[in-house]
Amino acid sequence: MSASDSAFVTPSCFAQLDQLSLKDIIRLQAQLEQELKRRFERSLVLLFSDMVGSTSYFQRFGDAAGRQLQQLHLDLLEAAVLAHDGRIVDTAGDGAFVVFEDCGRALRAIQQVQVQLSEQNLSRARSHQLQLRMGLHWGRVLSDGQSVSGDAVNFCARVVASAEPGEVRLSREAFQELPAAWRVQCRPLAPVLLKDVAAAVELMAFDWRDRSQFPTHVLIGDAKDPQALPLLDIISFGRLREHEGVPANDVVLSHADPMQALQISRWHFELRRGAQGMVLRALSDSATLVDGQPAPKGRDVPVRVGCRIDVANALSLRLLAPLPCHAADADQTLVSMSRMRLDLSAVAAAGPLTGEIPAGARRAGS
């Protein structure tokens, strides 16, 4: 608190208030409110970043390991914020509150965090990977250059709380502040109910990866609908659902024929997201083919949108991604809010997949 602030709040300064009438106090209140807005109200880009699953991680691996993961989060965030002219306002527990002057700079910082996080995660065991959820909002706040407060801050905290693990969500206000080049990397979500907000709100998800290089969905067997890939840097596929009380695979593979199902290994392969693209790493001695070519155990094989993966001569999968949005359509993104289309042309051209999970059968994550 400054010397001028201290002088303002001393009891002696308020003693004369006893002499003011009701009208005078109401007038003074209005004047103070106007002065507060004039001096301290401004528009800022607000970002909340939270670790996913920190409580269970601390319980499972202990305080030292948990604190190291928290520090990795803060180190990555601090470097990106500094590089893109942001400011960390507060850190508490497993989260951080950051402000920027510009939405584009905020997204560049988010992208830097995510790229560096992917590089870190590829060198860490799957159970020790760091996963974040982030929320971005633009709005009017009160700030003295240090603290930042207001309803917009509370709203941003609710946006990040609604995000899926690994997801970056933007409010409508933040999206509208973006240039078209950034808008095309956002996709609409179904209206979301946020805590203490009366009506459902329109939010966007920021796809920081190049959707032409990184598959986002997988079509398994003859299933009618593609399944979204988890937003993880290492995604495991196999028939085992659970091991020692924890999920064994991110995508569980099954087959209607029990004998065919047994051909699929408990841990069969991984999809690994690097900075430049995605690779498949076979974990099993059972056959794994990528577009008809063998994927040797332990060796990374590049995969892309449209690739076909054959598992143990029992099951076939296809990697997919949303059709890209054009810059001219970016302003209509929030208006349409239509069901995301997936590029199934590669599937149709290659013919039906064989060795399928029956349509309607339970899939991982359903």
Side-chain angles (χ1 to χ4, degrees), residues 45-267:
V45 183
L46 314 173
L47 168 66
F48 276 90
S49 179
D50 286 330
M51 284 175 56
V52 175
S54 61
T55 300
S56 60
Y57 186 86
F58 270 83
Q59 291 174 346
R60 186 178 177 192
F61 298 106
D63 292 343
R67 187 64 185 85
Q68 289 174 10
L69 209 61
Q70 285 180 337
Q71 193 60 51
L72 174 60
H73 172 208
L74 295 179
D75 288 346
L76 293 174
L77 191 64
E78 286 174 0
V81 169
L82 180 63
H84 298 286
D85 301 323
R87 179 170 66 87
I88 295 180
V89 178
D90 189 27
T91 59
D94 58 0
F97 173 37
V98 182
V99 294
F100 295 86
E101 299 285 343
D102 177 80
C103 274
R105 291 178 181 175
L107 283 191
R108 283 193 288 272
I110 289 171
Q111 195 167 39
Q112 178 177 322
V113 169
Q114 296 287 359
V115 168
Q116 294 181 351
L117 178 56
S118 285
E119 294 173 354
Q120 289 278 341
N121 278 340
L122 289 178
S123 64
R124 301 171 69 88
R126 183 171 169 272
S127 57
H128 292 281
Q129 292 196 357
L130 173 61
Q131 194 175 20
L132 303 176
R133 53 167 60 91
M134 293 181 164
L136 199 68
H137 179 52
W138 180 90
R140 302 291 287 178
V141 297
L142 294 176
S143 176
D144 59 1
Q146 297 297 320
S147 65
V148 180
S149 61
D151 187 60
V153 177
N154 299 329
F155 183 82
C156 188
R158 295 181 182 112
V159 171
V160 71
S162 75
E164 297 293 329
E167 191 175 44
V168 179
R169 289 194 172 187
L170 289 76
S171 68
R172 182 188 186 101
E173 291 79 5
F175 175 79
Q176 290 176 331
E177 288 296 307
L178 293 173
W182 284 105
R183 291 189 184 191
V184 297
Q185 290 184 246
C186 301
R187 54 182 170 82
L189 301 170
V192 179
L193 284 172
L194 303 180
K195 183 180 179 181
D196 297 328
V197 178
V201 298
E202 295 174 344
L203 299 177
M204 308 293 293
F206 172 54
D207 291 329
W208 60 271
R209 294 183 177 94
D210 182 350
R211 283 178 287 185
S212 68
Q213 300 295 322
F214 292 89
T216 60
H217 289 67
V218 59
L219 185 66
I220 304 176
D222 66 352
K224 294 181 179 179
D225 296 314
Q227 175 181 338
L229 292 172
L231 296 175
L232 297 168
D233 294 308
I234 300 178
I235 308 168
S236 62
F237 291 70
R239 80 164 190 271
L240 190 62
R241 188 173 299 277
E242 186 176 287
H243 179 66
E244 296 181 350
V246 297
N249 285 284
D250 302 302
V251 179
V252 179
L253 303 176
S254 185
H255 197 284
D257 183 343
M259 296 304 296
Q260 289 280 77
L262 288 176
Q263 300 302 310
I264 304 169
S265 296
R266 293 183 299 169
W267 290 275

